[in-house]
Amino acid sequence: MNERLNIWVAGWHAFTQSPWWGYGAGSFTTAAGLAPGDTAHNTVMAVLVTGGLAGAAIFSAILVCVGVTVARMSGLLRIAFGTVLVVWFITSMVGSVEENRTTWLLFGMMAVAGRMEVEHRFAMREVFSGWERNESRIGAYARA
């Protein structure tokens, strides 16, 4: 934990030097004066250092939109994406996942599923409701 605390202190110091706009994408280690292989070990700290308050506001807005989208979903889809979002959130507290392609793929999948939920509400509920009546219909399609 001491290593992470030192990294976070160095990151906070770098943030205070350029709080509004940050240092640019991928520049955490350079800005904090760390070895090239180090990471922030915290997504919030990484976003603050690389994007400043402007980048943190944009990232926060994206997270809020994704959270609202997942909250508006229903059935098993909401449970699945809600679980994924909670796991992502916990991971972001101990790792730098803001530049990870998987993060943006998951956010994109959540946005598309949320849009499909709005446009095709009944079809999505039929597929992701979790009711047994759908299993007989799915079984009929599998036998055909």
Side-chain angles (χ1 to χ4, degrees), residues 4 8 41-45 47 59-60 62-64 66-67 70 80-98 100 102-104 106-107 110:
R4 288 184 185 215
W8 295 338
H41 295 289
N42 186 298
T43 299
V44 174
M45 182 60 66
V47 169
F59 193 73
S60 297
I62 292 169
L63 280 177
V64 166
V66 167
V70 170
F81 278 132
T83 303
V84 168
L85 199 56
V86 167
V87 169
W88 179 89
F89 182 75
I90 292 169
T91 303
S92 73
M93 293 294 112
V94 295
S96 301
V97 295
E98 79 286 351
N100 193 326
T102 305
T103 292
W104 299 104
L106 289 173
F107 288 176
M110 290 176 195

Side-chain angles (χ1 to χ4, degrees), residues 67-132:
V68 167
T69 299
V70 170
R72 289 183 179 168
M73 292 177 188
S74 62
L76 295 176
L77 198 59
R78 178 172 40 192
I79 293 170
F81 278 132
T83 303
V84 168
L85 199 56
V86 167
V87 169
W88 179 89
F89 182 75
I90 292 169
T91 303
S92 73
M93 293 294 112
V94 295
S96 301
V97 295
E98 79 286 351
E99 292 179 354
N100 193 326
R101 292 179 186 150
T102 305
T103 292
W104 299 104
L105 174 66
L106 289 173
F107 288 176
M109 288 173 55
M110 290 176 195
V112 168
R115 184 64 183 188
M116 288 178 67
E117 179 86 15
V118 169
E119 290 180 2
H120 307 288
R121 178 170 299 273
F122 298 110
M124 293 292 282
R125 284 187 181 169
E126 185 175 339
V127 173
F128 294 106
S129 69
W131 292 95
E132 291 182 20

